[in-house]
């Protein structure tokens, strides 16, 4: 079976400014992959290129063995629907309630009737502990609640791969730990492959996945946390701290 994500020699620039300069990275089925790197190192850009939201200039992104840019639009969209995403800022629709935000992908991409959609959305909100907040608008939520609502929405179509940009950003330590636990449960119980961007050490320790350090537009280290600490290049140890 093909890997959910295989990135090869990816180059991405914004105008004249190169951000990714030859990234090669593979995420295997069922694993937890963590992308690390300093602020501005291109982590979110890499995620966007994988999701097809930014166009790369060179190299290739393969999802489940297929290059979406080589497929007809509808097939590429179908392929990308196998991926769920939680953006760095949550990116909820501000005029829709929490329940409506979660229901939206179901309305767009399934044949469920309104009652079935509402029931499934309610179940997803229970899963992330937001049942009582279903009727609230995003502006009425705390940062942690917003992140969990975005997670519920990302899970609506049962993604095989979940991409999550800075799951703990802006959250207090307890809320951050809760989001990490949810991610772990998804991975352990449902076998969802995770691709998580983070530079938060407690998250890195909790998710205990394979690390990929992005530096100078490339992946300069791939391996476990223990390997990074004991035998990684100096830059990795410095990044992780004592
Ligand atoms: N849409 C865009 N247009 C122009 N430049 C961009 C765009 N998005 C990102 N950049 C630039 O690309 C570089 C990498 O940004 P990116 O958001 O990928 O970094 P990051 O590693 O996710 O950082 P952070 O940890 O702060 O989230 C930055 O210098 C940023 O200014
Ligand atoms: Mg980012």
């Amino acid at each position: 079976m093909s890997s959910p994500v295989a990135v090869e020699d990816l180059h991405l620039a914004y105008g004249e400014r190169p951000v990714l300069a030859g990234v090669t990275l593979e995420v295997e089925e069922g694993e937890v992959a963590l992308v690390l790197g300093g602020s501005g190192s291109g982590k979110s850009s890499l995620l966007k290129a994988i999701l097809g939201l930014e166009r790369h200039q060179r190299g290739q992104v393969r999802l489940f063995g297929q290059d979406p840019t080589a497929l007809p639009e509808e097939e590429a969209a179908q392929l990308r629907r196998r991926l769920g995403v939680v953006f760095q800022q949550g990116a909820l629709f501000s005029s829709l309630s929490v329940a409506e935000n979660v229901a939206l992908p179901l309305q767009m991409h399934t044949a469920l009737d309104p009652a079935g959609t509402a029931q499934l959305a309610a179940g997803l909100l229970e899963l992330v502990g937001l049942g009582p907040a279903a009727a609230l608008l995003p502006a009425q939520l705390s940062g942690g609640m917003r992140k969990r609502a975005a997670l519920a929405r990302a899970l609506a179509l049962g993604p095989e791969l979940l991409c999550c940009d800075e799951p703990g950003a802006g959250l207090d330590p307890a809320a951050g730990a809760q989001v990490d636990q949810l991610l772990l449960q998804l991975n352990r119980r449902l076998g969802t492959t995770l691709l998580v961007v983070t530079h938060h050490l407690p998250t890195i320790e909790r998710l205990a996945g394979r690390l990929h350090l992005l530096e100078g537009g490339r992946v300069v280290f791939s391996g476990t946390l223990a390997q990074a600490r004991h035998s990684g290049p100096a830059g990795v140890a410095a990044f992780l701290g004592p």
Side-chain angles (χ1 to χ4, degrees), residues 86-102:
V86 180
F87 289 106
Q88 201 162 357
Q89 316 291 349
L92 297 167
F93 290 100
S94 57
S95 61
L96 300 181
S97 72
V98 169
E100 287 165 344
N101 263 284
V102 176

Side-chain angles (χ1 to χ4, degrees), residues 145-156:
M145 291 163 87
R146 224 169 283 157
K147 213 75 203 202
R148 281 182 284 144
L151 185 57
R153 186 179 61 182
L155 296 178

Side-chain angles (χ1 to χ4, degrees), residues 58-187:
R58 223 174 96 190
Q60 198 184 45
V61 173
R62 292 173 81 79
L63 304 178
F64 306 99
Q66 287 183 287
D67 176 358
T69 61
L71 294 174
E73 205 172 308
E74 180 49 33
E75 279 177 53
Q78 250 173 36
L79 186 62
R80 291 194 174 112
R81 237 168 267 150
R82 296 168 70 180
L83 274 56
V85 59
V86 180
F87 289 106
Q88 201 162 357
Q89 316 291 349
L92 297 167
F93 290 100
S94 57
S95 61
L96 300 181
S97 72
V98 169
E100 287 165 344
N101 263 284
V102 176
L104 196 64
L106 296 167
Q107 287 163 355
M108 288 174 68
H109 302 300
T110 73
L112 279 175
D113 62 18
T117 300
Q119 201 175 11
L120 190 49
L124 286 162
L125 287 174
E126 287 297 330
L127 179 77
V128 300
L130 280 182
L136 299 181
L137 292 170
Q140 298 171 307
L141 303 179
S142 72
M145 291 163 87
R146 224 169 283 157
K147 213 75 203 202
R148 281 182 284 144
L151 185 57
R153 186 179 61 182
L155 296 178
L157 298 176
E160 292 158 69
L161 170 78
L162 181 70
C163 301
C164 199
D165 200 347
E166 301 278 2
L171 307 187
D172 69 50
Q178 258 182 16
V179 171
D180 290 346
Q181 285 310 322
L182 267 171
L183 292 175
L184 273 180
Q185 280 177 22
L186 279 172
N187 176 255

